[in-house]
Amino acid sequence: MSQKIIGILGLGVFGRSLAKELSRFHHDVIAIDSNPEHVQAIADEVATVAIGDFTDYDFLEDMGIQNCDRVVVASGNSLEASVLAVMHCKKFGITDIIAKARSKTYEEVLYAIGADYVISPEREMGRRLASTLMRSTITDIFQLEGDVSIVEFTTPKRWKGRSLKALDIRKKYDLNLIGIREHKNSPLSTDIDPNMQLQEDSVLVGITNTHTFERYDYLGYFK
């Protein structure tokens, strides 16, 4: 696998975790923060780490940020600092700039000045936790593209003993079934008989519109 050079600007909890994980898989990381303690915490784990102001264009150039394949502006506390960092990266010609935002307003500004992707870890974690707490039958969701996902879920009580043909799940639930497990840990079988009656312990895997299927599950339609 070809190594990538990734810049991490800001080494709070999020930035440090990101830098360590990328380094663990042998990517070259250039990590920068103005807090000596944050820098020291990962000094032995990343390729290049420095104490400094990532809003300073000349300092970033001296650190080689212009050589990065992508840059993550990981400090979302100061909008001004994030904006300057994104602007500098754009001047360097970096084509993949990811920025952290603490609010919707920050997100809109960062997109407007050229960030390619903006994340809000706290908001995303809140959504994920809410999703986990509300699940009824869903055990796993693997996002493919946009709102389309592969969903793995236990057989709903209403479906047990009924055939796939009778349930007509493609029409009713916007779900294209691609596999069945006899139970949770059994191998996935893609040999699907539409006349087969679903069993109590079976696990179903299908491609669906995530939001549509989640709504059915969260509102208890499958209980």
Side-chain angles (χ1 to χ4, degrees):
M1 182 186 72
S2 61
Q3 291 182 331
K4 294 184 182 298
I5 303 175
I6 301 175
I8 308 293
L9 308 183
L11 297 173
V13 174
F14 174 72
R16 293 199 303 273
S17 299
L18 183 59
K20 289 179 181 179
E21 191 68 7
L22 290 169
S23 295
R24 190 165 72 89
F25 287 94
H26 310 296
H27 291 294
D28 287 336
V29 173
I30 301 174
I32 298 171
D33 196 283
S34 59
N35 187 321
E37 292 182 0
H38 291 172
V39 170
Q40 186 60 37
I42 64 166
D44 297 329
E45 302 185 55
V46 301
T48 305
V49 62
I51 303 169
D53 180 5
F54 61 72
T55 67
D56 184 328
Y57 182 90
D58 292 332
F59 175 70
L60 290 180
E61 188 171 33
D62 290 341
M63 290 301 303
I65 288 296
Q66 67 275 13
N67 299 318
C68 290
D69 296 289
R70 56 174 55 102
V71 171
V72 180
V73 182
S75 177
N77 293 327
S78 168
L79 179 58
E80 181 182 1
S82 295
V83 166
L84 286 171
V86 171
M87 290 177 63
H88 293 336
C89 289
K90 294 291 287 185
K91 288 181 181 178
F92 285 133
I94 296 168
T95 57
D96 193 355
I97 304 169
I98 302 163
K100 178 186 173 186
R102 62 182 297 181
S103 70
K104 189 67 176 176
T105 300
Y106 279 31
E107 183 177 328
E108 291 172 353
V109 171
L110 291 168
Y111 272 127
I113 57 102
D116 297 287
Y117 186 59
V118 181
I119 58 172
S120 177
E122 291 83 2
R123 185 165 67 241
E124 290 303 316
M125 283 303 298
R127 288 174 178 170
R128 289 184 183 181
L129 178 57
S131 174
T132 300
L133 293 174
M134 290 188 292
R135 288 178 183 177
S136 175
T137 64
I138 295 173
T139 57
D140 261 315
I141 296 178
F142 308 94
Q143 187 171 10
L144 296 178
E145 180 181 329
D147 293 334
V148 179
S149 297
I150 294 177
V151 178
E152 186 162 325
F153 59 104
T154 56
T155 301
K157 292 180 180 179
R158 294 183 179 182
W159 296 9
K160 291 172 184 176
R162 302 182 64 188
S163 71
L164 295 171
K165 184 176 182 180
L167 287 166
D168 196 13
I169 58 177
R170 178 180 295 180
K171 181 178 180 180
K172 291 181 180 178
Y173 305 107
D174 190 22
L175 174 73
N176 292 294
L177 201 66
I178 59 173
I180 299 178
R181 302 183 193 276
E182 289 186 4
H183 50 78
K184 184 177 180 180
N185 297 314
S186 65
L188 181 68
S189 172
T190 57
D191 184 13
I192 304 171
D193 179 357
N195 295 308
M196 176 188 66
Q197 292 186 336
L198 297 176
Q199 303 302 309
E200 183 174 355
D201 296 328
S202 60
V203 176
L204 310 179
V205 180
I207 297 177
T208 184
N209 179 291
T210 314
H211 297 308
T212 300
F213 196 79
E214 282 182 320
R215 184 171 67 251
Y216 285 127
D217 188 65
Y218 299 164
L219 295 177
Y221 283 67
F222 296 148
K223 290 183 178 180

